[in-house]
Amino acid sequence: MKTIHLVLAATALTLAASCGQTSSRTEAFDGPAYLNPSLPVEQRVEDALSRMTTNEKIAVIHAQSKFSSAGVPRLGLPEVWCTDGPHGIRAEVLWDEWDQAGWTSDSCTAFPALTCLAASWDPELSLLYGKSIGEEARYRKKDVLLGPGVNIYRTPLNGRNFEYMGEDPYLASRMVVPYVKGVQSNNVAACVKHFALNNQETNRFTTDVKVDDRTLYEIYLPAFKAAVEEGGAWAIMGSYNLYDGQWNCHNDRLLNTILKGEWGFDGVVISDWGGVHITDEAVTNGLDLEFGSWTNGLTEGMSNAYDSYYLAKPYLDKIKAGEYGEDELNDKARRVLRLMFRTNMNPEHKMGKFTSPEHSEAARKIGAEGIVLLKNEGGILPLDGVKNVLVVGENAVKMMTVGGGSSSLKAKYEVSPLDGLKAALSPKGVNVSYERGYVGDASGSYNGVTTGQDLSEKRNASQLVADAVSAAKNADVVIFIGGLNKSDNQDAEGADRLQYGLPYGQDAVIEALANANPKLVVVNISGNAVAMPWVDSVPAIVQDWYIGSEAGNSLADVLTGKVNPSGKLPFTFPVAMEDGPIKTEAQYPGIPTGKNFAMFRFTEETYSEGIYVGYRWYDSKGIEPLFPFGYGLSYTSFEYGEPSANSLSMTKDGGITFTIPVTNTGKVAGAEVVQLYISDKESSIDRPEKELKGFGKIFLESGQTGIVKISIDADALSFFDAQKHEWVAENGEFNALFASSSRDVRKTLTFNLK
Ligand code: BGC
């Protein structure tokens, strides 16, 4: 038996985040210090700042176009260009319009949605993702990538969950750090968003979140903190909503006290587009760079109104009137200069790459590694020995890279699931046919980018089902590919979902297909959990995601067994919405307060479920989810051996390294994600039954045994004591749970903290 070792996912990845502070140039430099590439960034920043006029400083802290802010031409300091993010590089829009600029060279590689990346539980893939998308950004001469997003999955109704990394702060933290490092290795800043508590789209500009400190620090902040402290993020985006009565783009506590104070963030706080509303707060409360304001008095934009941005003339007037000195202005300008020197003024001069074969390969790999096999009875998957495959469902053909809001892309190409399956199966002599089954949303355009697909349909709903059922009767296997899409009230920015169930009558189509042919595979494409009332009548279920350019190839890789699925759910699938922690309107979508400001009618929302989000809730209530957090099947099976530890006693400054052997006991090679949950056996306060504190993904040939190593320190045992305002690990016994999902604990080891 071969034994291989895998080092913990939680250990730091060592890609150097270059700040451009070194240079091999040694020859004498007789220009101004800020242009001298061999000087440290801070020295260059201070020198540049000392040469700037007040007007020039004002100019660099607000937008000059939809996605750029001004430089200082007199000093040769460049403009800063931003782009969405987070799944690919957005198509070029006009200077001051959302309309397309009409470029013919801006069709990008569409990478998988961040839910898919998170489902891979593979920090190495996250590094590859960041590096690849960063290369695309650099090639397109962007300095700031508006992503990744790490808002926590609080409700399955949030339309933007697909842009985030799931319900668990530890998983999101481990996955965001390498993404940020990968992006920034290209001298492109990652702009981590949306800071913070931006967990829904309904009333996103007016929701005032009330949350206790323990919940804030334990659930909603850790991924941002990791991105800043460990990832070294150069930018962060304030969110639209309010926290404790103040908009988050100028929220004193979030930006000044926590981000810049407690975490020592030295980068740029960028507003979300249109998230700034009050000049005085924008000046004093931690915002550095203003974008997207609706400048005629908070309603809609006038053209080229950049001079009236809150941090433009209104701020300058206040400085001139003596209301402010230049301390705040210098701090903002200094941060923007630092951004310039880290990115476009970096002497490394990275060139980037756009739609390269390597990027397609990365997208396909990440896609396949993130797909989650939820059910596979009777070994129906992988497809084997079949001659006639019937594919049913709109999502088998619908392009998904267009739509969903600001993450919408103009992709160079997008392989649909149907085309991916045909490409994989037709050469093997398998006949792949297609039936629509239902009509979802036939539209396909966003912001002037259109799919060009004609999805119009003449048959009515019952005819569509009848045709699918009759074709299903003659197929060896039926693959239904449905789910949500990127239209409003599905998985989209600006409008939450209206229901937990599948839309467009898909449940009935699935039931009809299950009756017609017992060999049915349901592939759900979404960025959110959905109800599956038919779960018992369908033998195989696959959770697919918005995978981008390589969508169909990644899916075909998994369905045909070319890739053995190893994805694990980054969020819980409850049986029904009612099972979840959100019970009242005050929790979601919030209650109107009656208070107004200009066009805004505020809503107050209280996160009264506290830390009991996702599996923490279902565990605490003993509610069986449809599919739990961390769950995902494989075409092989894994057996966990006896775990051991270098010590079963830990001190507050020490740590423990656990090792656990895992054996692939099935017939094919595959990868397993070993999850380490920590459970505090006795605590002075109420704690979740268990919390994820480590994981390791290991690839094993059939019959092979490998060792997964996971190290923890006292952080893994701590809770946030709001009164003391510090993390506390209490002495006593803890259980280390080695699990294949949050509901499948295989081995336990008890240790103590002294
Ligand atoms: C979104 C951001 C996005 C920005 C620029 C906003 O509406 O919330 O995520 O980066 O637009 O497109």
Side-chain angles (χ1 to χ4, degrees), residues 121 167-171 214 218-219 569 572 611-625 627-631 674-683 685-694 715-719 733-749 751:
W121 292 62
E167 74 185 25
D168 183 73
Y170 181 82
L171 176 63
R214 181 179 174 201
E218 287 191 19
I219 304 293
L569 292 179
T572 307
I611 57 170
Y612 293 98
V613 174
Y615 65 89
R616 289 165 169 79
W617 166 265
Y618 296 95
D619 280 358
S620 77
K621 297 290 170 199
I623 296 169
E624 195 63 39
F627 297 108
F629 172 80
Y631 172 84
V674 175
Q675 300 158 41
L676 172 71
Y677 295 86
I678 300 290
S679 166
D680 193 351
K681 290 181 77 173
E682 213 178 298
S683 165
I685 63 163
D686 196 23
R687 298 197 70 178
E689 195 176 294
K690 61 177 179 297
E691 294 182 281
L692 183 75
K693 295 296 171 185
D715 287 352
L717 316 181
S718 307
F719 59 84
E733 286 201 321
F734 293 82
N735 278 336
L737 312 172
F738 300 87
S740 182
S741 87
S742 64
R743 286 293 171 106
D744 184 7
V745 175
R746 301 284 180 87
K747 300 283 173 184
T748 302
L749 213 55
F751 64 97

Side-chain angles (χ1 to χ4, degrees), residues 66-67 82-86 90 98 145-147 160 163-164 191 193-194 198 201 204-205 237-240 271-274 291 294 405-407 446-447 493-494:
K66 282 275 177 258
F67 282 103
C82 303
T83 178
D84 285 302
R90 185 173 175 159
W98 291 109
L145 177 76
L146 304 174
R160 268 187 114 169
E163 289 187 63
Y164 306 139
C191 181
K193 65 193 189 183
H194 307 87
N198 186 188
E201 291 302 291
R204 65 175 171 162
F205 304 114
M237 184 187 286
S239 61
Y240 282 135
S271 74
D272 200 345
W273 270 231
F291 270 97
W294 301 313
S406 56
S407 64
Y446 179 79
N447 215 200
E493 181 178 338

Side-chain angles (χ1 to χ4, degrees), residues 717-736:
L717 316 181
S718 307
F719 59 84
F720 189 78
D721 184 325
Q723 236 121 51
K724 294 188 188 145
H725 197 77
E726 64 185 33
W727 290 89
V728 172
E730 292 179 333
N731 288 347
E733 286 201 321
F734 293 82
N735 278 336

Side-chain angles (χ1 to χ4, degrees), residues 152-164:
I152 291 292
Y153 190 110
R154 178 173 177 255
T155 163
L157 298 185
N158 179 13
R160 268 187 114 169
N161 278 335
F162 72 99
E163 289 187 63
Y164 306 139

Side-chain angles (χ1 to χ4, degrees), residues 587-637:
Q587 283 173 289
Y588 176 89
I591 294 176
T593 60
K595 286 192 214 132
N596 304 332
F597 176 76
M599 65 181 280
F600 299 107
R601 314 268 171 269
F602 295 116
T603 300
E604 191 170 290
E605 186 168 281
T606 309
Y607 287 16
S608 52
E609 71 284 358
I611 57 170
Y612 293 98
V613 174
Y615 65 89
R616 289 165 169 79
W617 166 265
Y618 296 95
D619 280 358
S620 77
K621 297 290 170 199
I623 296 169
E624 195 63 39
L626 179 61
F627 297 108
F629 172 80
Y631 172 84
L633 302 172
S634 163
Y635 295 146
T636 187
S637 49

